[in-house]
Amino acid sequence: PGESSVVPVDMPLFQWKGLTFNNKQVVFPTPSACINQFENVLRSYNLDIEANWRRLLPKQLAIGTNACLKLYLKDHEKASWEQVKKAIKEKYRVSDTTLKNRAVNKLLGIYMKSRETIDQFTDRFLILKQRSGIVDEHTLSHCYIKAMKKEVSKDVKLFISMSNNAKKHTLDYAIQKVKAKFETL
C-alpha cells in the first residue's frame, strides 16, 4: 500500500439529497452513503484509503464543500481519514427524522417500475418499509397493492376483500397474492 497515482474512473461525487451539484451523477441519500461508496471504490482498486484520500477527495467535492475541507485541513493538518470522515458526517448530518420521513413519503407513493420484476419491487418495498418504521399491516398491504398495475391490484383487492379471515389482511399475504397473480400473467 501507500500513495498511488491511480485515479478510479468510477469515483462518486460527494453529493446527497440537500447538497447536489450534478444531477447527471448519483445523488446519495446521506453523506454516510456517499462516504461508504467512496471507500468501496478505493478498496476495489486496492488503494489504501489513508494514503490516497487527500489526493482523490477534493476532486469529488462541490466548490463550497471543497472550501470547507480546505479550512478544516488548515486547522487539522495531520487529520486522518477517520477524522475527516467524522467531520463530514457531523457537518452534513441528515437527521433520523428526515430519513424516516423520506422513506415514509417514498413508501406512500411507491409504484412498480415498468422494467422491474416483482421480486425486485418487493425487495425495494421491504427496504422502504424498514426505513419508514411503518408497521400497520393494513397500510403496508394497501401501499403494496396500489403500487401494482390496475389489472393486478384490482384482482388482489377483490380477493382480499372477499376473505373473512382478518389474518389474511397482512403485507405477507398481499405479497403472496400479488406474486401468484403475476405468475398467471
Side-chain angles (χ1 to χ4, degrees):
E3 190 171 349
S4 170
S5 60
V6 172
V7 178
V9 294
D10 50 351
M11 293 294 295
L13 294 179
F14 268 59
Q15 59 179 10
W16 45 84
K17 292 187 183 200
L19 183 74
T20 304
F21 60 97
N22 184 338
N23 288 322
K24 294 180 182 179
Q25 298 289 322
V26 173
V27 176
F28 294 91
T30 64
S32 292
C34 185
I35 288 168
N36 289 343
Q37 184 61 22
F38 178 78
E39 291 177 334
N40 288 341
V41 170
L42 266 65
R43 283 189 200 102
S44 73
Y45 282 80
N46 289 323
L47 294 173
D48 181 295
I49 296 170
E50 191 60 48
N52 291 280
W53 71 264
R54 284 179 187 264
R55 178 177 63 85
L56 296 171
L57 181 63
K59 181 177 166 289
Q60 307 312 120
L61 302 174
I63 294 168
T65 313
N66 207 333
C68 288
L69 176 66
K70 286 179 183 176
L71 284 173
Y72 178 83
L73 292 176
K74 187 175 180 182
D75 293 336
H76 304 87
E77 291 178 19
K78 303 280 187 197
S80 68
W81 170 242
E82 288 301 317
Q83 291 168 317
V84 170
K85 182 166 70 168
K86 182 179 177 188
I88 291 171
K89 287 179 182 181
E90 286 175 4
K91 179 163 180 57
Y92 299 103
R93 185 179 79 227
V94 179
S95 75
D96 291 341
T97 302
T98 299
L99 292 174
K100 191 173 188 175
N101 287 341
R102 284 181 190 166
V104 167
N105 289 334
K106 281 185 180 180
L107 191 66
L108 294 176
I110 197 169
Y111 63 92
M112 187 172 171
K113 297 174 183 173
S114 60
R115 294 184 181 177
E116 198 170 33
T117 68
I118 188 62
D119 289 328
Q120 290 169 330
F121 170 77
T122 301
D123 289 346
R124 188 165 59 93
F125 185 92
L126 293 174
I127 288 168
L128 285 173
K129 172 192 169 223
Q130 179 185 22
R131 290 180 183 165
S132 73
I134 295 176
V135 294
D136 181 72
E137 289 290 330
H138 177 74
T139 301
L140 292 167
S141 61
H142 173 75
C143 289
Y144 186 84
I145 293 167
K146 82 170 181 59
M148 298 297 129
K149 297 177 201 171
K150 291 232 186 280
E151 66 266 19
V152 173
S153 65
K154 187 176 103 177
D155 288 353
V156 173
K157 281 181 194 175
L158 180 64
F159 190 83
I160 290 175
S161 68
M162 290 175 34
S163 168
N164 292 328
N165 186 347
K167 291 182 180 176
K168 292 186 176 182
H169 295 249
T170 65
L171 176 60
D172 287 340
Y173 189 72
I175 291 171
Q176 177 188 354
K177 290 303 167 193
V178 166
K179 286 185 174 186
K181 179 65 181 172
F182 265 86
E183 289 176 8
T184 66
L185 296 179

